Amino acid sequence: MTNIDLNKISLWVRLLPVIFFIGYLNLSVFLFAFGPWDWPVKDGTKLYVFLAFAHAALFLGYLSAAFSKPGEYYGRFKVQHIVILSLVVNLLLLLPTSAFRTGSAIPNIVAGLANPGEVYRTTNEIRGQGGGIAEYVRIVLSPIIALLIPLTFYYWGNLKPFVRYLSVFSMLFFLAIYVAIGTNKAIADFVLIVPCLVLARHLSGRLKLGRRRIIIASVLAMFAFGLFFSFFSAGQISRAGSMEGAASLPILDTKANLDNFIVRPLPDELKVPAVVLISYLTQGYYGLYLSLEKPFVPMFGVGNSMFLYFNASKITGMKEIENMPYPIRIGEDGWDGYGQWSTIYPWIASDVSFPGTILVVFLIGYFFALSWIDTLKGSNPYAVAVFAQFLIMLFYFSANNQVMGSGEALFGFYGLLLMWLYTRRKYVWRTR
């Protein structure tokens, strides 16, 4: 059980997640407006007003639940059993997943590190040949698969050593797959959410972080980010073909200003990687800017996810569905909805309009706060997993709808959300 007094959770502990993400999102907007990229925004009034409402909705939604009492756990399974189940499923899928995504059951991390741009192109061709059985299995079992990382790190002290070691092996093998295909997604997720889970474990009273442990944890976190940043930089430069190419955006025929006040103080060898990372954090706002000028075309629940609207198009035979989401329609303005980002907002708005998106963001804030309060209590493992899902969603808010784009992400998010909501309330079954 947790050592924290749940009746005396301090104000800053309750509000820490939303304060962090409001600061993070405002920083990304600042980088968009004043950073090294010259986005061709003629009049940003509508864009910045919408973002102000969206950030306010996230904050107010969070506040509406931040002072709630944590829910109980009425699930049947213990944490250790859930972790073992997730571990077994992850281990069984490692080789088939690697075989489909990289072309080899054992991921070739040497090639991925040597030339990430080249392996990205070659493995894309392999995956483009058709869906593998392992991918469909991953979609069906995605809620179970997604439990491993958050539960392992949050309940580390409750797990037997062999479960910890095998879990770490499974995670490293999966990260190796992403190295072998030259992409950053899984690595970025890992680097972003693991420190948050360790901090949550500390604030819940499950881990005592003294000065020495804080220093060690900080050094490890910075080292992990450094490795990610190096791989990210190498991948982007390799894909672009040169440092100069990485610092340009051909779709807008523009180049980053390396003399911008934000990147000017950096060493020369870090300026290009920095502007590329800033582009990833900010380019979505230009897609949002273009989307705000388009009329609303309702998509009735399938517009927020590529997986959903592609399958809706196949099932109904209506090819036009694929051209209805906001991020796709702005292709008329020269912005590639598949190659560039447009933030999470146009994806949600494709179903509910932009005013409706403000309400959805309010609900995201509400459930994010509930998951945090339940995570602090620590009795419901599904709450911890859902909290990790919201972390991923919010870290990618300025980019895209990360937790609903693919089939695996979509079913994993909603599956865990339903598991958490179902097990946090007591249901009385009446039988004769």
Side-chain angles (χ1 to χ4, degrees), residues 52-67:
F53 275 99
H55 294 181
L58 178 66
F59 185 72
L60 293 175
Y62 187 96
L63 281 184
S64 67
F67 299 95

Side-chain angles (χ1 to χ4, degrees), residues 1-4 79-80 151 153-159 197-209 213 374-381 384:
M1 293 295 292
T2 177
N3 296 322
I4 191 173
V79 171
Q80 294 87 340
L151 267 56
F153 283 98
Y154 186 84
Y155 295 104
W156 183 268
N158 301 89
L159 304 177
L197 291 167
V198 173
L199 178 60
R201 187 176 167 216
H202 166 66
L203 294 176
S204 72
R206 292 176 175 271
L207 172 67
K208 292 184 178 180
L209 284 178
R213 284 187 172 183
D374 282 8
T375 294
L376 288 175
K377 182 172 183 178
S379 62
N380 191 329
V384 179

Side-chain angles (χ1 to χ4, degrees), residues 277-320:
L277 182 59
I278 290 173
S279 172
Y280 264 60
L281 287 172
T282 62
Q283 64 176 262
Y285 292 122
Y286 183 67
L288 172 60
Y289 159 75
L290 296 174
S291 298
L292 285 165
E293 300 300 324
K294 299 293 182 183
F296 174 50
V297 179
M299 295 190 65
F300 307 104
V302 302
N304 65 89
S305 166
M306 289 185 186
F307 174 82
L308 288 178
Y309 73 72
F310 273 123
N311 279 279
S313 174
K314 291 179 182 179
I315 292 171
T316 62
M318 299 171 62
K319 192 71 175 177
E320 60 270 23

